[in-house]
PDB file of all heavy atoms in Angstrom:
ATOM      1  N   ALA Z  53     121.335 235.366 232.392  1.00  0.00           N
ATOM      2  CA  ALA Z  53     122.532 236.193 232.317  1.00  0.00           C
ATOM      3  C   ALA Z  53     122.984 236.645 233.728  1.00  0.00           C
ATOM      4  O   ALA Z  53     124.196 236.643 234.021  1.00  0.00           O
ATOM      5  CB  ALA Z  53     122.276 237.569 231.469  1.00  0.00           C
ATOM      6  N   VAL Z  54     122.022 237.078 234.571  1.00  0.00           N
ATOM      7  CA  VAL Z  54     122.351 237.399 236.023  1.00  0.00           C
ATOM      8  C   VAL Z  54     122.859 236.211 236.710  1.00  0.00           C
ATOM      9  O   VAL Z  54     123.859 236.424 237.499  1.00  0.00           O
ATOM     10  CB  VAL Z  54     121.026 238.036 236.645  1.00  0.00           C
ATOM     11  CG1 VAL Z  54     121.317 238.189 238.167  1.00  0.00           C
ATOM     12  CG2 VAL Z  54     120.763 239.411 236.002  1.00  0.00           C
ATOM     13  N   LEU Z  55     122.297 235.058 236.605  1.00  0.00           N
ATOM     14  CA  LEU Z  55     122.807 233.957 237.289  1.00  0.00           C
ATOM     15  C   LEU Z  55     124.160 233.533 236.882  1.00  0.00           C
ATOM     16  O   LEU Z  55     125.044 233.119 237.720  1.00  0.00           O
ATOM     17  CB  LEU Z  55     121.824 232.737 237.173  1.00  0.00           C
ATOM     18  CG  LEU Z  55     120.407 232.984 237.833  1.00  0.00           C
ATOM     19  CD1 LEU Z  55     119.549 231.731 237.621  1.00  0.00           C
ATOM     20  CD2 LEU Z  55     120.619 233.142 239.393  1.00  0.00           C
ATOM     21  N   ASP Z  56     124.471 233.661 235.580  1.00  0.00           N
ATOM     22  CA  ASP Z  56     125.787 233.362 235.099  1.00  0.00           C
ATOM     23  C   ASP Z  56     126.841 234.432 235.595  1.00  0.00           C
ATOM     24  O   ASP Z  56     127.938 233.937 235.931  1.00  0.00           O
ATOM     25  CB  ASP Z  56     125.759 233.407 233.573  1.00  0.00           C
ATOM     26  CG  ASP Z  56     125.067 232.232 232.893  1.00  0.00           C
ATOM     27  OD1 ASP Z  56     124.776 231.274 233.654  1.00  0.00           O
ATOM     28  OD2 ASP Z  56     124.707 232.315 231.751  1.00  0.00           O
ATOM     29  N   GLU Z  57     126.370 235.604 235.750  1.00  0.00           N
ATOM     30  CA  GLU Z  57     127.279 236.630 236.340  1.00  0.00           C
ATOM     31  C   GLU Z  57     127.531 236.473 237.857  1.00  0.00           C
ATOM     32  O   GLU Z  57     128.683 236.512 238.282  1.00  0.00           O
ATOM     33  CB  GLU Z  57     126.703 238.047 236.072  1.00  0.00           C
ATOM     34  CG  GLU Z  57     127.567 239.148 236.625  1.00  0.00           C
ATOM     35  CD  GLU Z  57     126.873 240.530 236.444  1.00  0.00           C
ATOM     36  OE1 GLU Z  57     125.942 240.661 235.679  1.00  0.00           O
ATOM     37  OE2 GLU Z  57     127.401 241.476 237.007  1.00  0.00           O
ATOM     38  N   VAL Z  58     126.469 236.235 238.585  1.00  0.00           N
ATOM     39  CA  VAL Z  58     126.563 236.201 240.001  1.00  0.00           C
ATOM     40  C   VAL Z  58     127.098 234.838 240.551  1.00  0.00           C
ATOM     41  O   VAL Z  58     127.751 234.780 241.605  1.00  0.00           O
ATOM     42  CB  VAL Z  58     125.172 236.624 240.627  1.00  0.00           C
ATOM     43  CG1 VAL Z  58     125.303 236.506 242.195  1.00  0.00           C
ATOM     44  CG2 VAL Z  58     124.833 238.038 240.234  1.00  0.00           C
ATOM     45  N   GLN Z  59     126.652 233.752 239.910  1.00  0.00           N
ATOM     46  CA  GLN Z  59     126.996 232.382 240.424  1.00  0.00           C
ATOM     47  C   GLN Z  59     126.553 232.218 241.828  1.00  0.00           C
ATOM     48  O   GLN Z  59     127.354 231.802 242.690  1.00  0.00           O
ATOM     49  CB  GLN Z  59     128.490 232.133 240.230  1.00  0.00           C
ATOM     50  CG  GLN Z  59     128.944 232.106 238.780  1.00  0.00           C
ATOM     51  CD  GLN Z  59     128.443 230.879 238.059  1.00  0.00           C
ATOM     52  OE1 GLN Z  59     128.671 229.765 238.517  1.00  0.00           O
ATOM     53  NE2 GLN Z  59     127.789 231.047 236.904  1.00  0.00           N
ATOM     54  N   PRO Z  60     125.294 232.434 242.164  1.00  0.00           N
ATOM     55  CA  PRO Z  60     124.845 232.373 243.574  1.00  0.00           C
ATOM     56  C   PRO Z  60     124.691 230.846 243.957  1.00  0.00           C
ATOM     57  O   PRO Z  60     124.526 229.987 243.130  1.00  0.00           O
ATOM     58  CB  PRO Z  60     123.438 233.079 243.542  1.00  0.00           C
ATOM     59  CG  PRO Z  60     122.943 232.769 242.242  1.00  0.00           C
ATOM     60  CD  PRO Z  60     124.111 232.779 241.244  1.00  0.00           C
ATOM     61  N   ASP Z  61     124.680 230.660 245.292  1.00  0.00           N
ATOM     62  CA  ASP Z  61     124.384 229.403 245.917  1.00  0.00           C
ATOM     63  C   ASP Z  61     122.871 229.299 246.182  1.00  0.00           C
ATOM     64  O   ASP Z  61     122.360 228.143 246.278  1.00  0.00           O
ATOM     65  CB  ASP Z  61     125.181 229.171 247.213  1.00  0.00           C
ATOM     66  CG  ASP Z  61     126.633 229.314 246.976  1.00  0.00           C
ATOM     67  OD1 ASP Z  61     127.213 228.381 246.328  1.00  0.00           O
ATOM     68  OD2 ASP Z  61     127.238 230.258 247.489  1.00  0.00           O
ATOM     69  N   ALA Z  62     122.239 230.443 246.332  1.00  0.00           N
ATOM     70  CA  ALA Z  62     120.834 230.467 246.603  1.00  0.00           C
ATOM     71  C   ALA Z  62     120.246 231.715 246.080  1.00  0.00           C
ATOM     72  O   ALA Z  62     120.818 232.729 245.949  1.00  0.00           O
ATOM     73  CB  ALA Z  62     120.594 230.443 248.187  1.00  0.00           C
TER      74      ALA Z  62
END
Side-chain angles (χ1 to χ4, degrees):
V54 167
L55 292 178
D56 288 344
E57 176 183 349
V58 176
Q59 294 289 307
D61 302 293

